[in-house]
Amino acid sequence: GGAGHGSSTYAAGGGGGASTGGSVSDATSHATYGEGYGGPGGAGKSSSITGSSVTRGGGGGGGASDALALGGCGILAAAEHGYGCEGGGGAGSRSYGVDGATNKGAGGGGGNSGGAGGSGVVIISYDDEFAAPDTLTGSPSTPSVSGKRVYVFNGNGTIGWD
């Protein structure tokens, strides 16, 4: 998801997530969070492809116009060390945005210096009645999912069948 960008005068809307768009209404943000707060990033999308539910692709929180205010979802999740909306989107602020969560493809928080988007992930899942790959590099994780072959790449790697 993308991130909003705050200025010294106006707060920004939050970045869109994989599941929903970010909040772009300054009036809604003001009424909900207080003056100067950026809009929340959109929620990510939940999936159980690896055998357990994980939410990825959350939008970054919008930048805030108040130097003391965290933007977007950061104010709701400050106890979680600045992560934004569900799906790992980074919180926004006036001066800097928090980076999106690693391996979740999440948006960075907005700010005069916006946070970086989180790295993505590649997940390959297929019925175990089909052959295992002949070539597998990059040390992907292989979670156990009944009736499936699952390969999770968080970095470089290859998979192939001869």
Side-chain angles (χ1 to χ4, degrees):
H5 177 76
S7 70
S8 60
T9 307
Y10 300 103
S19 181
T20 61
S23 172
V24 295
S25 170
D26 186 54
T28 299
S29 185
H30 174 78
T32 305
Y33 309 115
E35 186 171 347
Y37 285 91
K45 183 78 173 167
S46 180
S47 168
S48 298
I49 191 170
T50 60
S52 58
S53 182
V54 177
T55 303
R56 298 177 178 88
S65 63
D66 184 331
L68 302 176
L70 287 175
C73 295
I75 62 169
L76 303 175
E80 297 175 305
H81 308 289
Y83 280 87
C85 276
E86 197 174 349
S93 75
R94 180 177 179 185
S95 56
Y96 68 92
V98 175
D99 293 346
T102 302
N103 300 328
K104 287 194 172 188
N112 287 332
S113 177
S119 58
V121 61
V122 173
I123 302 170
I124 298 171
S125 174
Y126 61 94
D127 289 338
D128 64 5
E129 66 186 69
F130 298 102
D134 298 308
T135 306
L136 192 61
T137 66
S139 302
S141 63
T142 55
S144 178
V145 179
S146 179
K148 299 284 185 184
R149 294 187 195 274
V150 181
Y151 303 92
V152 180
F153 292 87
N154 287 316
N156 292 334
T158 60
I159 188 169
W161 293 262
D162 292 337

